[in-house]
Amino acid sequence: SLMFEKVIAEVVFNQRAGLLSFALLMTLWTATSGIVAAMDHLNRIYRVQEIRGWVKTRLIAFFLMLLFTAMILGVFVMLIIASLAKGYVQNFFHWPTLTAYAFSAFQWIIAFLMINGTLSLIYHWGPNIKRKFQWFTYGSLFGTLFMMMGTLAFRLYLKNFGHYDKIYGSIGGVIIFMLWLKMCGLALLSGAKINATSWTRKT
């Protein structure tokens, strides 16, 4: 997609290193602040107070931000590589269609495990509670399914009805990404609510 081409070209070819560095720092600060806000919501869901201190909270938020970013990039790259590998192997070995579907199912299972693991870590480190870490919880499973199904539905909508790039130009990509992040946030908080309900019953 060429949605960000004009913005990137203006920064790179005009050699605005200072602007690029400032934009990167602001992006990191804003993203970390967003995770801090999510942690505050998680504390409210669990009905606990934040007592970990400003520095510790920021460090945890920064770690979770990097974790979430790595998950997004990891899933994206994995799906691209798996799709290319599937096409190559299918053409080379002449796999039947059923085997190709099985290959596709396998790559989505890997994506599911990556997203679930990331959400589980966020649910463990985000709120100010002490409990044993669990890879799979009702909340992480629900949040993962919510995020995956929501992403597929969002992709279908953009393919058939959304024309943000044509209407807003280069900024359209930013709008699309922010809408997707909002959906991911809703999935995250919904799963946390389910986990909080289960945790409250046990305590």
Side-chain angles (χ1 to χ4, degrees), residues 27-38:
T27 300
L28 291 175
W29 177 263
T30 303
T32 304
S33 298
I35 298 297
V36 170

Side-chain angles (χ1 to χ4, degrees), residues 116-168:
N116 179 85
T118 301
L119 291 183
S120 296
L121 289 171
I122 293 176
Y123 292 150
H124 181 72
W125 291 103
N128 184 33
I129 60 173
K130 294 182 179 180
R131 62 175 182 176
K132 184 179 179 180
F133 176 74
Q134 293 179 288
W135 280 108
F136 297 98
T137 61
Y138 291 116
S140 68
L141 294 174
F142 178 83
T144 302
L145 289 175
F146 192 146
M147 194 174 297
M148 294 183 69
M149 298 304 295
T151 299
L152 291 175
F154 193 53
R155 179 183 177 185
L156 182 64
Y157 166 77
L158 292 176
K159 183 178 180 180
N160 294 279
F161 304 103
H163 302 287
Y164 292 92
D165 56 334
K166 296 180 180 179
I167 299 175
Y168 300 103

Side-chain angles (χ1 to χ4, degrees), residues 28-60:
L28 291 175
W29 177 263
T30 303
T32 304
S33 298
I35 298 297
V36 170
M39 292 169 61
D40 182 60
H41 280 290
L42 291 175
N43 286 329
R44 292 181 184 180
I45 290 175
Y46 281 92
R47 298 180 180 178
V48 295
Q49 296 292 326
E50 183 57 75
I51 59 174
R52 289 175 288 189
W54 187 88
V55 175
K56 186 176 181 179
T57 301
R58 280 280 166 178
L59 289 176
I60 294 174

